[in-house]
Amino acid sequence: MSDVASRLGDALAGRYAITRELGGGGMSRVFLAEEAELHRAVVIKVVAPELAQGMSAERFTREVRLAARLQQANIVPVLSAGTADGLPYYTMPFVRGESLRARLAAGPVPIADAVGILRDVGRALAYAHSEGVIHRDIKPENILLSGGAAVVTDFGIAKALDASRTEEGHGATLTQAGASLGTPAYMAPEQALGDPTTDHRADIYAWGVVAWELLGGGHPFGGRTTMQAMMAAHVTEPAPSLAAKRPELSPALAALVMRSLEKAPGARPATAAELLGELDAAGVSGERAPIAAA
């Protein structure tokens, strides 16, 4: 058992029994555990020790509790938050299924299935934004597929990590971990530039990147091998035409994805609710309507 797992297990003994490590990376370590009182499987996410050194655990917990009020079918709720042996952590239900990243690795996703996933993510964003919570790190790893639906995890965590920093020297580490600004591959231009006015439209941009990847069969800026090159692409390079890549898509769907990827936030759909409305108008299947016979 790793040092972090041992520390966590000892500190939470009697409340949670650590079963195994599920992975993680960057800003957190992820463990599967059984909650003693309710005998249910939960996920415990622990802030990486190198990040915990430069943050206020109390402020982190306070910020996570704000996100914990989100209760919507496409959002994985936060169950609890606290500190264990100096390590800030939070718990969430264990979702049986696979991440969207794993699904993408398995092969092409049918258009109708992709549209369903994108609609579920849009619903999660629309609800969270209406409650004043921005995700700031939408990516396939944070989208889980279970029971025929997509659910989004880690709402509010990136903001909690950012808001809880107490030592300026740890800013670069947080950025590298994808906690302060977001994950470079899904980062809105204004995030990449460190714009302090970044708002919910950054989530809409990230939705657009995920949509392009789902429907286009690869990341729109694939091939960039460094964080700097990826961020520069988001800031300066137009996304390749999705309609040209997948001509079988409905024009309305392809246009919506491209509009979500506009560099200027004001050129994107104004809200996730507007995004959902346009997605519904594009049709359930997302495919181009057949040409009627003469």
Side-chain angles (χ1 to χ4, degrees):
M1 184 177 287
S2 68
D3 177 61
V4 172
S6 296
R7 290 172 60 187
L8 187 67
D10 291 343
L12 299 178
R15 295 176 57 197
Y16 301 100
I18 306 298
T19 303
R20 58 188 171 92
E21 186 164 1
L22 295 176
M27 68 181 184
S28 67
R29 300 277 293 276
V30 184
F31 299 90
L32 178 65
E34 180 176 343
E35 186 178 17
E37 185 174 354
L38 298 178
H39 300 287
R40 63 178 174 180
V42 299
V43 168
I44 303 177
K45 296 193 175 186
V46 182
V47 175
E50 60 270 23
L51 300 186
Q53 294 174 9
M55 60 181 284
S56 163
E58 180 181 355
R59 193 177 304 163
F60 173 79
T61 301
R62 186 167 63 247
E63 290 287 341
V64 172
R65 284 173 179 158
L66 292 176
R69 71 180 187 270
L70 298 179
Q71 298 291 326
Q72 194 270 347
N74 300 110
I75 294 176
V76 181
V78 173
L79 300 176
S80 64
T83 305
D85 192 21
L87 297 173
Y89 75 92
Y90 59 101
T91 69
M92 311 182 90
F94 174 60
V95 178
R96 299 185 184 278
E98 63 179 350
S99 70
L100 179 56
R101 174 63 67 212
R103 177 63 187 86
L104 286 167
V109 178
I111 293 174
D113 292 350
V115 170
I117 292 168
L118 294 171
R119 182 176 288 110
D120 284 347
V121 175
R123 286 171 177 152
L125 292 177
Y127 174 80
H129 293 172
S130 73
E131 294 292 317
V133 178
I134 304 169
H135 194 290
R136 297 174 66 174
D137 198 21
I138 291 291
K139 57 186 178 181
E141 289 80 357
N142 283 336
I143 300 169
L144 307 179
L145 308 177
S146 178
V151 293
V152 181
T153 188
D154 283 359
F155 262 100
I157 302 306
K159 180 179 184 297
L161 281 164
D162 199 23
S164 61
R165 284 183 295 174
T166 58
E167 299 176 19
E168 291 298 324
H170 286 267
T173 304
L174 280 167
T175 300
Q176 291 165 5
S180 179
L181 293 173
T183 299
Y186 301 88
M187 187 182 295
E190 59 270 26
Q191 286 178 287
L193 294 170
D195 187 344
T197 67
T198 295
D199 60 19
H200 65 280
R201 292 169 295 184
D203 283 349
I204 291 174
Y205 182 92
W207 179 95
V209 180
V210 171
W212 208 108
E213 189 170 5
L214 257 175
L215 297 166
H219 192 282
F221 300 118
R224 280 44 173 206
T225 57
T226 66
M227 179 179 72
Q228 291 77 11
M230 180 62 75
M231 292 168 68
H234 283 302
V235 173
T236 64
E237 297 181 28
S241 168
L242 183 57
K245 177 73 172 180
R246 294 291 300 276
E248 66 271 33
L249 293 176
S250 75
L253 176 59
L256 175 61
V257 174
M258 297 304 295
R259 193 154 70 89
S260 299
L261 289 171
E262 288 285 352
K263 304 302 182 189
R268 300 171 203 153
T271 65
E274 179 182 320
L275 181 77
L276 275 176
E278 295 192 27
L279 185 61
D280 288 340
V284 175
S285 70
E287 297 184 68
R288 180 184 292 271
I291 299 175

